[in-house]
DNA sequence: ATCAATAGCGAACGCACGTACGCTATTGTT
DNA sequence: AACAATAGCGTACGTGCGTTCGCTATTGAT
């Protein structure tokens, strides 16, 4: 009753599935993704959805990857034109605050949510979460290191401490937005990040 | 085949269930709690477990409450003997770092985990999470306010900013421990909290 | 023109879930 | 001594899950 589609159309279908899955996962977690529910909302059959990934675990990981790629495209890549070091770092911080304040997904940042959802559950999903999270950390660390090398930050500057505090501000911002819709939180996060860069 | 137990024994059973449920939830989330699994691991029947709470949602909320009460007993109440204000606040910060570093539950702080698990899912569980989280926030805020009133912190001190940064450090510490077992994280969290108290 | 490859469907599977009901045997009150 | 209350069990029910299998009809390479 439903004929095979072209390879190009299949890619579109796959994208539709991942898009819906990411929206669901951002609100209910990667475990909230359900093949039956996706099939319902996308008006296709369960087996049709399933075929694209073969395994629910693969679907979850693909969803996480998709969300991360979208974030990267919209909030990291634009910053890469900036001068590496303190300038670029500040833009990245600002972009991440904007992202966490008005996320691409209805339930907020999927990576942040998946972090605590899967930190205690070994397996491929957890590995994917850790990898994606590390990539974001590395991006920030790289610019911190460059900033020190270029003398934009004092030579005795504690890069790891600053990184810790920047990530911390992101976590707190995410929680404040998702839990309490605290409109003051973005400003506090910005200030906290700025303070992280001005070590005594 | 299994006769009724005394009311006292029933309380013990209830505590056993909650204890096991909290351990599971700390690793797999409040949704990881399953009546069948609890029955298995506690060697009782599903209906036996069920009867104590009547509803899975009630079981989840009870589990969260139990975890919070345990935390409160072990890490907050001992600090209440301290002088209110900056002294007590520092003890609370230190205690929370110790708690997040070596939690009472195998999967880390259940409240922190539940925060992002349920922030996008309206309902009684979410309400319970918010309430419990607010109580912890209030405790910290109260001592910050006292510290300002008593002149232990400058009059222009931004209490909400400091609170934001203290909570932020907790989030980051939790993530670093649960995700990467980062042994340097407790020190960084302590430093970040101390910096939060020394606004420029 | 031929034909292997495949997107998507429909139906079925075994399993685990939360919940409901009735029962039993002890408790603890009267 | 009598008896309502109840901790916990056993069984069952309906639902939704991930996955499997066979099918159909188009695509796209040969």
């Amino acid at each position: 009753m439903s004929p095979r589609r072209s390879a190009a159309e299949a890619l579109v279908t796959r994208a539709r599935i991942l898009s819906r899955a990411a929206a669901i996962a951002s609100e209910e977690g990667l475990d909230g993704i359900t093949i039956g529910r996706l099939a319902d909302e996308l008006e296709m059959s369960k087996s049709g959805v399933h075929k694209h990934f073969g395994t629910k675990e693969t679907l979850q990981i693909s969803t996480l990857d998709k969300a991360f790629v979208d974030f990267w495209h919209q909030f990291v890549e634009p910053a890469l034109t900036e001068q590496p070091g303190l300038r670029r770092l500040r833009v990245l911080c600002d972009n991440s605050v904007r992202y966490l304040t008005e996320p691409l997904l209805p339930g907020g940042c999927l990576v942040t949510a998946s972090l605590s959802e899967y930190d205690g559950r070994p397996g491929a999903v957890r590995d994917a979460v850790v990898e994606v999270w590390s990539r974001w950390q590395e991006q920030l660390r790289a610019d911190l290191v460059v900033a020190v090398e270029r003398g934009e930050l004092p030579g005795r500057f504690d890069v790891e401490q600053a990184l810790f505090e920047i990530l911390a501000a992101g976590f707190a911002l995410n929680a404040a937005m998702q839990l309490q819709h605290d409109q003051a939180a973005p400003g506090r996060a910005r200030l906290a990040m700025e303070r992280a860069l001005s070590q005594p």
Side-chain angles (χ1 to χ4, degrees), chain A:
Chain A
M1 215 36 12
S2 43
R4 180 184 180 253
R5 308 303 167 80
S6 72
E9 283 173 304
L11 279 186
V12 172
T13 303
R14 199 188 133 98
R16 268 188 2 118
I17 297 172
L18 287 181
S19 189
R20 197 74 211 92
I24 292 173
S26 78
E27 294 191 298
E28 322 207 358
L30 284 174
D31 262 1
I33 299 175
T34 259
I35 293 175
R37 178 174 171 186
L38 283 171
D40 259 17
E41 300 188 5
L42 299 172
E43 293 183 295
M44 45 189 302
S45 68
K46 270 173 64 173
S47 43
V49 173
H50 185 91
K51 198 99 177 241
H52 277 274
F53 306 95
T55 266
K56 165 145 189 206
E57 196 176 62
T58 307
L59 167 58
Q60 291 175 306
I61 294 173
S62 304
T63 302
L64 179 74
D65 282 345
K66 180 244 186 334
F68 185 66
V69 165
D70 286 351
F71 161 73
W72 201 264
H73 276 154
Q74 282 225 231
F75 294 91
V76 176
E77 278 174 11
L80 297 186
T81 61
E82 297 288 330
Q83 183 183 105
L86 195 54
R87 281 182 63 90
R88 192 205 261 173
L89 182 69
R90 283 213 166 93
V91 174
L92 283 173
C93 285
D94 194 66
N95 284 6
S96 75
V97 168
R98 286 195 296 114
Y99 172 64
L100 292 170
T101 305
E102 284 173 12
L104 299 174
L105 299 169
C109 174
L110 181 54
V111 176
T112 305
S114 308
L115 230 53
S116 53
E117 186 181 4
Y118 272 88
D119 62 12
R121 300 153 78 176
V125 178
R126 193 203 131 111
D127 294 347
V129 173
V130 170
E131 210 243 308
V132 146
W133 179 243
S134 300
R135 247 187 291 172
W136 169 239
Q137 262 185 278
E138 280 311 317
Q139 179 63 49
L140 294 177
R141 180 162 20 227
D143 274 321
L144 279 167
V145 169
V146 170
V148 172
E149 283 169 358
R150 298 183 78 233
E152 298 165 345
L153 291 170
R156 44 171 41 225
F157 189 86
D158 187 339
V159 165
E160 293 304 320
Q161 181 68 27
L163 180 58
F164 182 91
E165 294 180 17
I166 289 171
L167 296 175
F171 282 124
L173 171 56
N174 182 69
M177 293 307 297
Q178 296 302 317
L179 222 75
Q180 304 156 342
H181 301 282
D182 181 354
Q183 295 306 315
R188 296 212 182 91
R190 270 181 240 272
L191 183 51
M193 289 179 183
E194 202 46 57
R195 275 167 51 73
L197 295 178
S198 65
Q199 285 175 13

